[in-house]
Amino acid sequence: MTSRWQQALYTTEGINSEGLEGHAYVPGGLKVQTSSPLNSHPGTNPEQLLSLSLSTCLEATLEAIEREHQLPHTAAVRVQVAFIGERAHYEFLVNAQIKIDGVDFKTAQELTAEAEKRCCVSQLLAGSQNYTVETVTKFTDN
Amino acid sequence: MTSRWQQALYTTEGINSEGLEGHAYVPGGLKVQTSSPLNSHPGTNPEQLLSLSLSTCLEATLEAIEREHQLPHTAAVRVQVAFIGERAHYEFLVNAQIKIDGVDFKTAQELTAEAEKRCCVSQLLAGSQNYTVETVTKFTDN
């Protein structure tokens, strides 16, 4: 593509050439078995991999923000993903819960807002109405 | 949240409460060690996890589309992710390459367009200018 790719600090890739019941891998790196979320076969799935990507990205961003504010690192992130819809019209819902102990709730909300804006995966999802972020004092199910 | 979550066919979650150098996990499922893409510590990172999520989602969608068109399953998906920017202003670039052997290039492009529209992870990224999808006859670096 273009110069933005050439200025990258880091590039990586993932490949799936098998299918939903198969394997996905990073050349020279992580390899995972994948399976449909709708059966009990062993393996992970796009929903789980997205939840791990987003939770780690938000957590890393919060860690940097806490450091910038001279706060201890207490933030924790839980990302829930739901698979909804019907044949040929499926969607994912994605909700991130951010819990930051040791600061008041208003401060936690401000740090959440900053992380939502700065986290690279969050930026990619920001155009979707199915993506939400909330500050919580305790992780709770949707 | 709301009724859309309650109608889910499947829900899952991922948690990271450690940081970029730590672990992320699905309760009762996949656990991965994570590390910064900018050092050589062992572990995966949000970039790789996103590439695995998107490549598996697109591949699963293509598998379904091939079946609907009575085509053999030959599609393969490679997702490249680049980390660009500078302190506090980072972004990811995401490019998916779709290769479908055994059909002419125009057909491959039509199947690509359908997969891009139907794949749930692709839908979530669709609002971002940093996300691109291309049909290729061979995987090539950006």
Side-chain angles (χ1 to χ4, degrees):
Chain A
M1 323 270 281
T2 61
S3 58
R4 295 184 83 203
W5 283 86
Q6 284 147 26
Q7 290 160 10
L9 303 168
Y10 169 77
T11 59
T12 190
E13 65 184 80
I15 293 173
N16 189 322
S17 58
E18 297 184 1
L20 187 53
E21 305 278 332
H23 298 85
Y25 66 97
V26 175
L30 182 64
K31 181 174 184 173
V32 293
Q33 183 176 0
T34 60
S35 63
S36 168
L38 302 182
N39 66 35
S40 59
H41 300 172
T44 188
N45 51 51
E47 291 89 332
Q48 293 182 349
L49 292 162
L50 181 62
S51 74
L52 295 174
S53 175
L54 178 59
S55 62
T56 300
C57 183
L58 283 168
E59 177 73 0
T61 308
L62 284 161
E63 207 176 9
I65 292 168
E66 288 171 322
R67 200 163 42 230
E68 290 165 14
H69 290 265
Q70 277 97 46
L71 290 167
H73 173 46
T74 66
V77 181
R78 178 202 197 205
V79 171
Q80 290 176 278
V81 179
F83 178 52
I84 65 166
E86 54 191 34
R87 200 176 140 71
H89 298 281
Y90 295 111
E91 293 178 48
F92 285 176
L93 305 177
V94 179
N95 180 250
Q97 296 185 331
I98 294 177
K99 184 167 78 70
I100 311 177
D101 293 338
V103 297
D104 61 61
F105 194 69
K106 187 166 168 290
T107 302
Q109 286 179 310
E110 289 167 1
L111 301 177
T112 295
E114 192 172 346
E116 181 178 356
K117 202 169 123 190
R118 281 171 51 178
C119 159
C120 298
V121 178
S122 185
Q123 289 169 16
L124 288 167
L125 306 180
S128 171
Q129 295 192 330
N130 288 6
Y131 173 52
T132 47
V133 180
E134 57 181 339
T135 310
V136 298
T137 52
K138 193 169 83 144
F139 293 144
T140 51
D141 285 342
N142 286 310
Chain B
M1 324 272 280
T2 63
S3 59
R4 296 184 83 202
W5 283 86
Q6 284 147 24
Q7 289 161 10
L9 304 167
Y10 169 76
T11 58
T12 190
E13 66 185 77
I15 292 173
N16 189 321
S17 58
E18 297 185 1
L20 187 52
E21 305 278 333
H23 298 85
Y25 67 98
V26 175
L30 182 63
K31 181 175 185 173
V32 293
Q33 184 176 359
T34 60
S35 63
S36 168
L38 302 182
N39 66 35
S40 59
H41 299 172
T44 187
N45 51 50
E47 290 90 331
Q48 293 183 347
L49 293 162
L50 180 64
S51 73
L52 295 173
S53 175
L54 177 59
S55 62
T56 300
C57 183
L58 282 167
E59 177 73 359
T61 308
L62 285 160
E63 208 177 7
I65 292 169
E66 288 170 324
R67 200 162 44 229
E68 289 164 15
H69 290 264
Q70 279 96 47
L71 291 167
H73 172 46
T74 66
V77 181
R78 177 200 198 208
V79 171
Q80 289 177 277
V81 179
F83 178 51
I84 65 166
E86 53 191 37
R87 197 175 143 70
H89 299 280
Y90 295 111
E91 293 177 49
F92 285 177
L93 305 176
V94 180
N95 181 249
Q97 296 186 332
I98 294 178
K99 185 168 78 69
I100 311 177
D101 293 339
V103 298
D104 61 60
F105 194 70
K106 185 166 169 294
T107 302
Q109 286 179 310
E110 288 166 1
L111 302 177
T112 296
E114 191 172 347
E116 181 178 356
K117 202 169 123 190
R118 282 171 51 177
C119 159
C120 298
V121 178
S122 186
Q123 289 169 17
L124 288 168
L125 305 181
S128 171
Q129 295 192 330
N130 287 7
Y131 173 53
T132 48
V133 180
E134 57 181 339
T135 311
V136 299
T137 53
K138 191 169 83 140
F139 293 144
T140 50
D141 285 340
N142 286 309

